[in-house]
Amino acid sequence: MRPSTLAALWLSAAFALGGCAGAGGAARDALPRPAFQRAFEGSGGKIAHVVVIMQENRSLDYLFQKFPGADTAAFGYGHGKKYVLQPWGLEKPFDINHEHVQFLEDYDRGKNDGFDRDIQKFAPNCPYPRNHPSCWVFFTDPTHVRLAYSFAPRSEVAPYWTMAQRFALGDRTFASNNGPSYVAHQYMIAGQSAHVTENPSAAPWGCDGAGTNVTYLLKYGSSKPPVFSPSTGIEITGPQPCFQYRTAADLLDAANVSWAYYAPSVALSGGIWSAFDAIWPVRFGADWANDVETPETLIFNDVQNGKLRQVSWVVPAFVNSDHAGSQSKLGPQWVAAIVNAIGESPYWKSTAIIVMWDEWGGWYDHVVPPQYQDPRTGAFEGLGHRIPLIVISPYAKQGYVSHRQHEVASSLHFIENTFGLPSLGGADARADALGDMFDFTQPPTPFQPIPSMRRPSDFINAKPSLVPPDE
């Protein structure tokens, strides 16, 4: 269905405000760039294909505990109590809250000590359930604390470690948003989310959802009585998640750069778990049939048949996603299978593979994420806690650990620079373009297969789970 009149009016107002008027009418500049940022003007034609593999919900301290040269912590604090991080397998059946409200609890106004309180629900009859800690009811089961302060057994994530050891790992990479996956995936393709800060109220998360499916927007201001600063913001009910803002699809189509978004089939209306389902011009335009590919395993067919697009995003099925509660440890094997398929193909010599995790998932990470005010609202819409980043390419620096600040939208900025595209002007303009992780003067690194227990055919022939990677 077409976006509601309310949504259209809200978007018009948001874009009309631009970078001039924020909360209270105060003038605001464009999104700030980190002071270290340097110009990076692409690969000099050496990269012709970019593949972004987006996994789910893990922090750097969780996946890369004690990785040589990386900044990780073996313990953390929760409201004054010290917790030593303990091993906790990818396949364990429990999940942790990772909504925007849980970020506020974890971040705790910069103290970063709230991971020991996992929000279970909101207290009944509370006037500000999403905006006031007095409304938050926490789990009392110690298992939830055990989960939050844990790390992955090295044996389960060996493919990730091999990729990071051979190529480049980022240890100052943050989620672009300070909340859950729907928002993160919008930042991946658009550098913004129209100020949506939580997952929509029901699945599917997009134009295929029912008209009663709503979003939650972050606006400048405080609850009553105030607890957080006005820049921390408050959540209000927003429109159906079906928007018309510009995305990478607009830039790529205008420049005749081919692209594909590989997404799993799900047992929901619309049938595909895709960030582009929330973008009206894509969902009801030619791109949906031509460029949104399902199932996600078609990436293997396209590589094998010489049909890899110039830009690809790859989203896993739930069982291969690394998402807590999936009861699976296949995520590292899934990513290794994609990397091996590309590495052993003619595409290797011209490809950059960017492996990221969309947000922290509630897992402890000791680095306090910087907070940036959105230029239109003045509220802190990011950054979220640290996530892992692995850059794999014949031109990636070998055995390099980047301590520069990156974020999810850095992948979008890299795509823009590689293909000479204009900026969308959102978080992609704020983010760096991963320039320090490449050396385009070095001889191309020959590919050596990543040791893995699964081949592409194992994933192609697996029965679809039909479960969204996150919900």
Side-chain angles (χ1 to χ4, degrees):
M1 61 186 67
R2 184 172 295 277
S4 65
T5 302
L6 174 61
L9 288 173
W10 179 84
L11 279 170
S12 297
F15 285 114
L17 284 170
C20 299
R28 300 191 184 278
D29 297 324
L31 286 169
R33 287 173 180 254
F36 63 80
Q37 188 159 319
R38 300 176 182 176
F40 173 60
E41 298 301 332
S43 65
K46 294 183 178 179
I47 298 298
H49 302 88
V50 178
V51 179
V52 180
I53 303 173
M54 187 60 76
Q55 294 293 100
E56 287 285 322
N57 297 29
R58 300 286 173 168
S59 72
L60 186 81
D61 275 341
Y62 177 85
L63 279 183
F64 286 92
Q65 177 67 213
K66 297 183 179 180
F67 186 90
D71 179 13
T72 64
F75 62 87
Y77 290 94
H79 294 92
K81 183 176 180 179
K82 182 177 179 179
Y83 294 95
V84 176
L85 273 59
Q86 301 291 329
W88 187 274
L90 291 167
E91 75 283 2
K92 297 293 186 179
F94 302 102
D95 196 6
I96 318 173
N97 193 322
H98 44 276
E99 297 181 8
H100 173 71
V101 293
Q102 185 66 50
F103 170 84
L104 295 181
E105 176 63 34
D106 292 353
Y107 178 73
D108 194 14
R109 287 165 280 194
K111 291 183 287 186
N112 214 45
D113 66 350
F115 293 82
D116 58 332
R117 294 181 181 174
D118 189 16
I119 300 173
Q120 179 183 18
K121 59 184 179 180
F122 300 128
N125 304 316
C126 201
Y128 296 97
R130 292 188 167 274
N131 301 309
H132 207 290
S134 64
C135 300
W136 303 345
V137 178
F138 302 102
F139 285 99
T140 57
D141 185 340
T143 299
H144 290 264
V145 176
R146 171 81 168 80
L147 262 70
Y149 296 90
S150 65
F151 64 90
R154 172 79 178 273
S155 60
E156 292 190 359
V157 293
Y160 292 149
W161 279 55
T162 300
M163 295 174 209
Q165 289 166 333
R166 292 184 185 176
F167 300 100
L169 174 72
D171 77 348
R172 274 298 184 279
T173 306
F174 299 89
S176 287
N177 63 300
N178 47 25
S181 291
Y182 166 84
V183 187
H185 286 233
Q186 293 303 304
Y187 275 85
M188 178 178 69
I189 64 168
Q192 65 149 312
S193 65
H195 312 299
V196 174
T197 193
E198 301 281 17
N199 291 339
S201 58
W205 295 342
C207 299
D208 285 294
T212 55
N213 190 7
V214 299
T215 54
Y216 301 96
L217 309 180
L218 194 67
K219 63 174 288 187
Y220 185 92
S222 300
S223 58
K224 297 178 182 179
V227 174
F228 302 111
S229 70
S231 293
T232 301
I234 56 175
E235 292 188 17
I236 61 172
T237 302
Q240 179 189 5
C242 188
F243 298 105
Q244 299 197 55
Y245 50 75
R246 297 174 72 229
T247 69
D250 295 291
L251 304 181
L252 297 169
D253 288 345
N256 293 315
V257 176
S258 61
W259 64 274
Y261 190 102
Y262 297 92
S265 301
V266 295
L268 299 168
S269 175
I272 304 173
W273 199 83
S274 168
F276 283 112
D277 190 28
I279 308 300
W280 167 268
V282 174
R283 176 60 186 92
F284 298 107
D287 281 333
W288 189 256
N290 297 334
D291 302 314
V292 177
E293 301 281 3
T294 187
E296 74 288 354
T297 52
L298 288 175
I299 180 72
F300 298 119
N301 302 71
D302 286 350
V303 170
Q304 181 178 2
N305 296 327
K307 296 181 179 181
L308 183 68
R309 259 58 80 84
Q310 290 167 277
V311 175
S312 301
W313 292 276
V314 187
V315 179
F318 183 55
V319 69
N320 303 320
S321 69
D322 295 327
H323 196 292
S326 66
Q327 301 188 53
S328 168
K329 52 184 177 182
L330 289 176
Q333 313 299 326
W334 158 254
V335 175
I338 299 172
V339 172
N340 285 339
I342 295 170
E344 296 173 324
S345 78
Y347 290 113
W348 170 247
K349 61 185 179 181
S350 64
T351 297
I353 303 172
I354 300 170
V355 183
M356 306 183 90
W357 284 255
D358 59 0
E359 37 93 351
W360 89 119
W363 306 97
Y364 177 76
D365 192 89
H366 77 282
V367 175
V368 181
Q371 297 299 287
Y372 295 137
Q373 289 178 291
D374 184 273
R376 292 178 288 274
T377 67
F380 295 139
E381 297 190 19
L383 299 172
H385 282 98
R386 280 194 314 171
I387 56 171
L389 162 68
I390 310 172
V391 170
I392 303 161
S393 173
Y395 299 101
K397 292 180 180 178
Q398 299 178 54
Y400 176 69
V401 177
S402 172
H403 305 303
R404 299 265 185 95
Q405 183 175 306
H406 313 296
E407 59 178 281
V408 163
S410 293
S411 63
L412 179 54
H413 195 170
F414 179 78
I415 291 168
E416 293 166 347
N417 278 9
T418 298
F419 297 101
L421 306 175
S423 175
L424 287 168
D428 54 320
R430 171 186 71 200
D432 84 314
L434 308 178
D436 74 301
M437 303 183 78
F438 291 89
D439 181 357
F440 293 110
T441 67
Q442 72 182 25
T445 303
F447 183 75
Q448 298 179 21
I450 306 299
S452 174
M453 296 182 291
R454 294 290 189 277
R455 297 169 295 178
S457 58
D458 295 320
F459 295 103
I460 293 171
N461 297 327
K463 182 180 179 181
S465 67
L466 301 179
V467 178
D470 200 335
E471 60 181 343

